[in-house]
Amino acid sequence: MEIRDARPEDWPSIWPFLRQILAAGETYSLPRHPTEEWARAMWMLEPPGRTVVAVDDAGTVLGSAKFGPNHLGPAGHVSTASFMVAPDHARRGVGRALGEHVLDRARTEGYRTMQFNAVVETNDRAVALWRSLGFEVMTTLPEAFDHPTHGYVGLHIMYRRL
Amino acid sequence: MEIRDARPEDWPSIWPFLRQILAAGETYSLPRHPTEEWARAMWMLEPPGRTVVAVDDAGTVLGSAKFGPNHLGPAGHVSTASFMVAPDHARRGVGRALGEHVLDRARTEGYRTMQFNAVVETNDRAVALWRSLGFEVMTTLPEAFDHPTHGYVGLHIMYRRL
């Protein structure tokens, strides 16, 4: 598996699983059925944001991540990141590899901390992964996410120094 | 004091104090020296966002606030808001009046909660005001704000049900 910067021609490989993940409505505080144009602008960031893809030896896109500033001005050293792993390629360490890559890159680019703004508390695998990568649940905002099967659940805010 | 929806012609009255507050770099996680074009787009929201002004009997703009969704999709019922009071008109209850107005409006528009993402922990008056309006400090993100005199300080995340 290689992780490299996303190129415009990667988007057609990202959009199917990104659309599928948003449509499920279980993990992202984003529209469940966005237009492709909206989704592309949201995911394929312009600098200083960065978007990367994880690809296998055959060049198949397994997942993608983006990171950039979470705040601006006097808090511009706080980064944030988002991750999508193609469901067909889950449980193969793609999320962890993307997470480690993004942490390294964010550190290299001079960010001092990373903040996740909205980790759905029922997303056990993501919460466990981020904890194992050094993130702490700082708080859980009650009733902040309307889960399709669990109803109103909390959103974790997770944070770590870089 | 009256609070009403902001109109395009209010912007020239808002920009001087908004610029002054951002330039001080003590309270906002926003660029300290934005262009007027950037600031106007950031502050004068399109629906579903709302921007309001507090005006006195002579029509002078004393302060302004904006509110709208903090998240989208399954978390679209979480609102957020921002407030700017002209320093020349501080300590006259403008912030409290704007806060009460925004809470009422957000509730009326169907939001279930309100979240402040970045309240600088040294901004004592703001923290006290939001506490008195029912907000709770959910967590404080360490070293998240580079204050011009205090150095790295924390950012409170404040939250309340509506």
Side-chain angles (χ1 to χ4, degrees):
Chain A
M1 181 172 17
E2 179 202 5
I3 297 176
R4 59 163 173 78
D5 285 355
R7 301 187 283 252
E9 58 267 32
D10 292 318
W11 174 251
S13 303
I14 297 170
W15 171 230
F17 65 80
L18 186 146
R19 179 170 47 178
Q20 181 182 352
I21 291 166
L22 295 187
E26 296 176 347
T27 55
Y28 265 86
S29 299
L30 293 173
R32 291 182 69 169
H33 305 289
T35 65
E36 181 173 355
E37 182 186 2
W38 185 93
R40 184 184 176 124
M42 178 275 295
W43 197 259
M44 304 294 275
L45 297 182
E46 301 292 327
R50 311 277 181 208
T51 304
V52 300
V53 287
V55 295
D56 67 12
D57 293 346
T60 303
V61 175
L62 310 173
S64 181
K66 66 182 172 92
F67 69 98
N70 196 45
H71 294 295
L72 301 170
H77 58 282
V78 180
S79 62
T80 191
S82 298
F83 300 83
M84 298 266 185
V85 175
D88 291 349
H89 302 288
R91 300 174 191 265
R92 286 170 52 181
V94 178
R96 175 175 301 275
L98 285 167
E100 291 173 346
H101 178 92
V102 162
L103 284 167
D104 283 347
R105 285 280 294 279
R107 198 179 286 118
T108 301
E109 296 198 5
Y111 294 104
R112 293 170 57 98
T113 68
M114 185 172 282
Q115 177 182 354
F116 295 155
N117 297 295
V119 181
V120 181
E121 68 177 337
T122 51
N123 190 358
D124 297 328
R125 269 196 288 164
V127 174
L129 175 58
W130 305 139
R131 281 190 196 275
S132 79
L133 289 176
F135 286 85
E136 184 182 346
V137 174
M138 302 297 290
T139 190
T140 307
L141 302 178
E143 299 182 23
F145 191 89
D146 188 9
H147 190 284
T149 55
H150 300 300
Y152 286 101
V153 298
L155 284 175
H156 291 323
I157 290 171
M158 303 187 76
Y159 192 70
R160 64 158 287 176
R161 289 192 175 78
L162 295 177
Chain B
M1 180 171 17
E2 178 201 7
I3 297 176
R4 59 165 172 77
D5 285 356
R7 302 187 280 251
E9 58 266 32
D10 292 319
W11 173 250
S13 302
I14 298 170
W15 171 231
F17 65 80
L18 186 147
R19 178 169 50 178
Q20 180 183 353
I21 290 166
L22 294 187
E26 296 177 347
T27 54
Y28 264 86
S29 299
L30 293 173
R32 291 182 68 168
H33 305 290
T35 65
E36 181 174 354
E37 182 187 2
W38 186 93
R40 184 185 176 123
M42 177 277 294
W43 197 259
M44 304 294 276
L45 298 182
E46 300 292 326
R50 310 277 180 209
T51 304
V52 300
V53 287
V55 295
D56 66 12
D57 293 345
T60 302
V61 175
L62 309 173
S64 182
K66 66 183 172 91
F67 69 99
N70 195 45
H71 294 296
L72 301 170
H77 58 283
V78 180
S79 62
T80 190
S82 298
F83 299 84
M84 299 265 185
V85 175
D88 291 349
H89 301 288
R91 300 173 190 266
R92 285 171 51 183
V94 178
R96 174 174 301 274
L98 285 167
E100 289 172 348
H101 177 93
V102 162
L103 284 167
D104 283 345
R105 285 281 292 279
R107 197 179 288 118
T108 301
E109 296 199 5
Y111 294 104
R112 291 171 59 96
T113 67
M114 185 171 283
Q115 178 182 353
F116 295 156
N117 297 293
V119 180
V120 181
E121 66 177 337
T122 50
N123 190 358
D124 296 329
R125 267 195 290 163
V127 174
L129 175 58
W130 306 139
R131 281 190 196 276
S132 79
L133 288 176
F135 286 86
E136 184 183 346
V137 173
M138 301 296 291
T139 188
T140 306
L141 303 177
E143 299 182 23
F145 190 89
D146 188 10
H147 190 284
T149 56
H150 300 299
Y152 286 102
V153 298
L155 284 175
H156 291 322
I157 291 170
M158 302 186 76
Y159 192 70
R160 64 158 287 176
R161 288 191 176 78
L162 294 178

